[in-house]
Amino acid sequence: MNDILSRRSIRKYTKDPVKEEDIRSLLEAAMSAPSAGNQQPWHFVVVSDKAILNKITQIHPHAHMLKDAQVAIMVCGDESLQKHIGYWVQDCSAATQNILIAAQSKGLGAVWLGVYPREDRVEGLRNLFMIPYSITPFSIISIGHPDEKKPPANRFNEQRIHYNLW
Ligand SMILES: Cc1cc2nc3c(=O)[nH]c(=O)nc-3n(C[C@H](O)[C@H](O)[C@H](O)COP(=O)(O)O)c2cc1C
């Protein structure tokens, strides 16, 4: 619970490398996410190549932190794996959020970079990564050891809670 409440978007990173075993843990967390009918319609691209991380910043207008990130994970949706049409977006969202929470639990800093449904980002990343047309880049998580601290956000809002009927 604490990892969920304390998680914030971290966009500044030290130069310390992220351990292979930590990246593996993040991927395990991603693939532990719930999905519609357990369809798991996802793929993950682990990006540590600095040149590629830099190229992403030319495609994605709000991804400048990737220039200092040690690694990024791109979550992609595979509609051909869907049993329940249309749910791939929610499934990939759950996987993305699990990566963020797992990063927090490992003491890493991370931020979710939205890709889908912005066509220019989807097509730009498809070209850069040579992703087949059956696969849709959904999100990128920028990851590194934190070089900034943020307090918990505390967005709890009683007014958004409805009991039984609206
Ligand atoms: C779907 C989605 C897309 C986002 N895209 C970006 C982005 O492109 N660049 C960025 O710096 N942050 C992005 N964020 C992070 C949000 O700005 C951030 O989660 C929000 O401001 C709340 O702050 P917090 O994560 O620190 O609690 C995105 C978050 C979500 C859920």
Side-chain angles (χ1 to χ4, degrees):
M1 184 71 172
N2 196 40
D3 290 329
I4 294 173
L5 296 182
S6 59
R7 183 217 56 81
R8 295 294 309 278
S9 292
I10 298 299
R11 300 181 176 88
K12 293 187 177 136
Y13 315 106
T14 69
K15 293 196 185 316
D16 298 322
V18 175
K19 288 188 242 153
E20 286 293 327
E21 66 206 61
D22 283 351
I23 296 169
R24 175 94 188 175
S25 296
L26 302 192
L27 294 167
E28 271 175 21
M31 292 187 231
S32 300
S35 60
N38 196 24
Q39 60 189 357
Q40 303 168 57
W42 43 53
H43 294 264
F44 303 91
V45 182
V46 179
V47 190
S48 55
D49 184 309
K50 291 279 177 200
I52 300 177
L53 289 169
N54 275 311
K55 278 187 189 158
I56 297 173
T57 68
Q58 292 162 17
I59 293 165
H60 193 303
H62 307 295
H64 54 90
M65 74 296 291
L66 288 174
K67 289 179 182 161
D68 298 319
Q70 291 303 315
V71 66
I73 298 174
M74 181 166 57
V75 180
C76 298
D78 185 341
E79 290 188 60
S80 73
L81 295 176
Q82 282 193 116
K83 295 187 269 184
H84 301 281
I85 303 303
Y87 281 102
W88 74 270
V89 173
Q90 291 159 73
D91 301 338
C92 286
S93 298
T96 303
Q97 178 70 4
N98 269 15
I99 292 174
L100 294 181
I101 304 302
Q104 180 71 14
S105 80
K106 293 271 170 197
L108 296 167
V111 56
W112 176 332
L113 307 178
V115 175
Y116 181 87
R118 296 290 172 105
E119 279 300 325
D120 52 336
R121 299 179 196 175
V122 169
E123 286 314 312
L125 292 169
R126 195 194 292 293
N127 291 337
L128 174 60
F129 287 91
M130 297 182 287
I131 298 170
Y133 268 95
S134 56
I135 309 289
T136 306
F138 173 77
S139 67
I140 296 173
I141 303 101
S142 172
I143 302 160
H145 289 276
D147 200 18
E148 63 175 334
K149 273 200 173 133
K150 292 184 178 177
N154 188 11
R155 302 190 181 108
F156 188 77
N157 182 352
E158 287 282 357
Q159 293 176 334
R160 298 293 178 87
I161 307 171
H162 310 264
Y163 293 99
N164 298 318
L165 301 178
W166 181 267

